Amino acid sequence: MYKEVLLAIDGSENSRRAAEEALHLADGKTRITLLHVMDPDDNQGDIVRSTNERAWNKKKKDEVSSIIAFFDRENVGHKYLTRRGLPAKEIIKEAELEDYELVVIGSRGLSRFQEMVLGSVSHKVAKRAEIPVMIVK
């Protein structure tokens, strides 16, 4: 199986399903890196309303805490990383920095038209990543 897996998470139901699939790929030697990318466009209001940087980071980690707890309960080696920026770009950059063998990411569930016009994060990652990408619906 895989030794190093990069799992992109955002706290959504799709990222929870992606986490479950990543778990199925893991054996006792697999290490899963949980990457939570905070898009500045989505979070500008949060930053303005947040009293400080630490409170904002805690709020964002709380959004994905159930996924982190899932890996804790399953006793799977994992680490949690956060990045700020455009999600697809940051996921690809992280995938290139380490010796990951696979990226696992949830599908956002856009219609074909929406995906064609907007593009989805998962589609961009699959198109640009140099390692295999598993998109979970």
Side-chain angles (χ1 to χ4, degrees):
M1 291 316 265
Y2 298 99
K3 291 181 183 172
E4 294 285 337
V5 174
L6 178 62
L7 172 63
I9 59 173
D10 62 6
S12 69
E13 186 57 37
N14 287 335
S15 69
R16 290 183 209 315
R17 284 194 296 275
E20 290 171 7
E21 286 301 316
L23 178 67
H24 292 302
L25 298 171
D27 63 15
K29 299 175 186 169
T30 303
R31 181 173 164 153
I32 298 178
T33 299
L34 311 173
L35 176 63
H36 181 202
V37 179
M38 297 174 249
D39 188 337
D41 293 337
D42 292 343
N43 298 310
Q44 283 178 340
D46 290 341
I47 295 170
V48 170
R49 287 187 294 273
S50 179
T51 55
N52 63 41
E53 187 82 6
R54 175 179 261 161
W56 185 74
N57 284 335
K58 182 185 180 323
K59 178 182 182 290
K60 290 300 162 187
K61 188 170 182 179
D62 287 347
E63 291 177 1
V64 297
S65 64
S66 66
I67 296 172
I68 296 168
F70 170 71
F71 285 102
D72 287 338
R73 282 190 310 273
E74 296 295 331
N75 202 25
V76 173
H78 64 281
K79 69 178 179 177
Y80 172 72
L81 301 175
T82 59
R83 299 284 185 268
R84 288 198 185 151
L86 299 173
K89 184 177 179 181
E90 293 301 316
I91 294 165
I92 294 164
K93 187 171 18 173
E94 178 63 26
E96 292 171 353
L97 287 175
E98 300 292 331
D99 292 328
Y100 298 108
E101 299 164 293
L102 177 71
V103 176
V104 179
I105 186 169
S107 168
R108 194 168 82 185
L110 297 176
S111 70
R112 285 185 181 173
F113 177 74
Q114 288 171 318
E115 188 169 340
M116 181 178 70
V117 174
L118 302 173
S120 69
V121 171
S122 57
H123 180 81
K124 290 174 186 172
V125 171
K127 186 176 177 180
R128 297 183 183 131
E130 295 182 7
I131 61 173
V133 176
M134 175 188 285
I135 300 173
V136 180
K137 289 175 114 181

